[in-house]
PDB file of all heavy atoms in Angstrom:
ATOM      1  N   ALA A  54     106.305 300.619 233.303  1.00  0.00           N
ATOM      2  CA  ALA A  54     104.860 300.392 233.320  1.00  0.00           C
ATOM      3  C   ALA A  54     104.096 301.597 232.777  1.00  0.00           C
ATOM      4  O   ALA A  54     103.055 301.439 232.118  1.00  0.00           O
ATOM      5  CB  ALA A  54     104.408 300.082 234.742  1.00  0.00           C
ATOM      6  N   ASP A  55     104.612 302.808 233.018  1.00  0.00           N
ATOM      7  CA  ASP A  55     103.887 304.026 232.647  1.00  0.00           C
ATOM      8  C   ASP A  55     104.103 304.412 231.188  1.00  0.00           C
ATOM      9  O   ASP A  55     103.150 304.794 230.486  1.00  0.00           O
ATOM     10  CB  ASP A  55     104.336 305.159 233.562  1.00  0.00           C
ATOM     11  CG  ASP A  55     103.452 306.389 233.447  1.00  0.00           C
ATOM     12  OD1 ASP A  55     102.334 306.262 232.906  1.00  0.00           O
ATOM     13  OD2 ASP A  55     103.878 307.470 233.884  1.00  0.00           O
ATOM     14  N   LEU A  56     105.352 304.316 230.706  1.00  0.00           N
ATOM     15  CA  LEU A  56     105.683 304.809 229.366  1.00  0.00           C
ATOM     16  C   LEU A  56     105.851 303.700 228.335  1.00  0.00           C
ATOM     17  O   LEU A  56     105.995 303.990 227.144  1.00  0.00           O
ATOM     18  CB  LEU A  56     106.969 305.649 229.422  1.00  0.00           C
ATOM     19  CG  LEU A  56     106.938 306.868 230.345  1.00  0.00           C
ATOM     20  CD1 LEU A  56     108.241 307.647 230.233  1.00  0.00           C
ATOM     21  CD2 LEU A  56     105.758 307.767 230.030  1.00  0.00           C
ATOM     22  N   SER A  57     105.907 302.453 228.772  1.00  0.00           N
ATOM     23  CA  SER A  57     106.053 301.282 227.884  1.00  0.00           C
ATOM     24  C   SER A  57     107.240 301.416 226.925  1.00  0.00           C
ATOM     25  O   SER A  57     107.093 301.266 225.703  1.00  0.00           O
ATOM     26  CB  SER A  57     104.766 301.064 227.066  1.00  0.00           C
ATOM     27  OG  SER A  57     103.671 300.856 227.921  1.00  0.00           O
ATOM     28  N   PRO A  58     108.426 301.704 227.432  1.00  0.00           N
ATOM     29  CA  PRO A  58     109.594 301.789 226.537  1.00  0.00           C
ATOM     30  C   PRO A  58     110.075 300.399 226.145  1.00  0.00           C
ATOM     31  O   PRO A  58     109.770 299.397 226.817  1.00  0.00           O
ATOM     32  CB  PRO A  58     110.633 302.495 227.415  1.00  0.00           C
ATOM     33  CG  PRO A  58     110.294 302.054 228.805  1.00  0.00           C
ATOM     34  CD  PRO A  58     108.798 301.930 228.842  1.00  0.00           C
ATOM     35  N   SER A  59     110.839 300.332 225.054  1.00  0.00           N
ATOM     36  CA  SER A  59     111.495 299.075 224.704  1.00  0.00           C
ATOM     37  C   SER A  59     112.639 298.838 225.682  1.00  0.00           C
ATOM     38  O   SER A  59     113.011 299.730 226.464  1.00  0.00           O
ATOM     39  CB  SER A  59     112.033 299.143 223.283  1.00  0.00           C
ATOM     40  OG  SER A  59     113.070 300.110 223.190  1.00  0.00           O
ATOM     41  N   SER A  60     113.232 297.632 225.657  1.00  0.00           N
ATOM     42  CA  SER A  60     114.340 297.337 226.569  1.00  0.00           C
ATOM     43  C   SER A  60     115.524 298.270 226.308  1.00  0.00           C
ATOM     44  O   SER A  60     116.187 298.739 227.233  1.00  0.00           O
ATOM     45  CB  SER A  60     114.772 295.871 226.426  1.00  0.00           C
ATOM     46  OG  SER A  60     115.163 295.601 225.084  1.00  0.00           O
ATOM     47  N   GLY A  61     115.767 298.553 225.013  1.00  0.00           N
ATOM     48  CA  GLY A  61     116.858 299.473 224.674  1.00  0.00           C
ATOM     49  C   GLY A  61     116.582 300.882 225.162  1.00  0.00           C
ATOM     50  O   GLY A  61     117.470 301.564 225.683  1.00  0.00           O
ATOM     51  N   GLU A  62     115.340 301.351 224.995  1.00  0.00           N
ATOM     52  CA  GLU A  62     114.985 302.692 225.462  1.00  0.00           C
ATOM     53  C   GLU A  62     115.114 302.800 226.974  1.00  0.00           C
ATOM     54  O   GLU A  62     115.555 303.826 227.506  1.00  0.00           O
ATOM     55  CB  GLU A  62     113.555 303.029 225.030  1.00  0.00           C
ATOM     56  CG  GLU A  62     113.412 303.296 223.541  1.00  0.00           C
ATOM     57  CD  GLU A  62     111.970 303.464 223.117  1.00  0.00           C
ATOM     58  OE1 GLU A  62     111.081 302.902 223.790  1.00  0.00           O
ATOM     59  OE2 GLU A  62     111.721 304.150 222.106  1.00  0.00           O
ATOM     60  N   LEU A  63     114.744 301.732 227.685  1.00  0.00           N
ATOM     61  CA  LEU A  63     114.835 301.749 229.144  1.00  0.00           C
ATOM     62  C   LEU A  63     116.285 301.859 229.603  1.00  0.00           C
ATOM     63  O   LEU A  63     116.591 302.563 230.574  1.00  0.00           O
ATOM     64  CB  LEU A  63     114.187 300.486 229.716  1.00  0.00           C
ATOM     65  CG  LEU A  63     113.835 300.520 231.208  1.00  0.00           C
ATOM     66  CD1 LEU A  63     112.884 301.659 231.514  1.00  0.00           C
ATOM     67  CD2 LEU A  63     113.223 299.192 231.632  1.00  0.00           C
TER      68      LEU A  63
END
Side-chain angles (χ1 to χ4, degrees):
D55 191 16
L56 301 183
S57 301
S59 66
S60 58
E62 288 173 333
L63 197 58

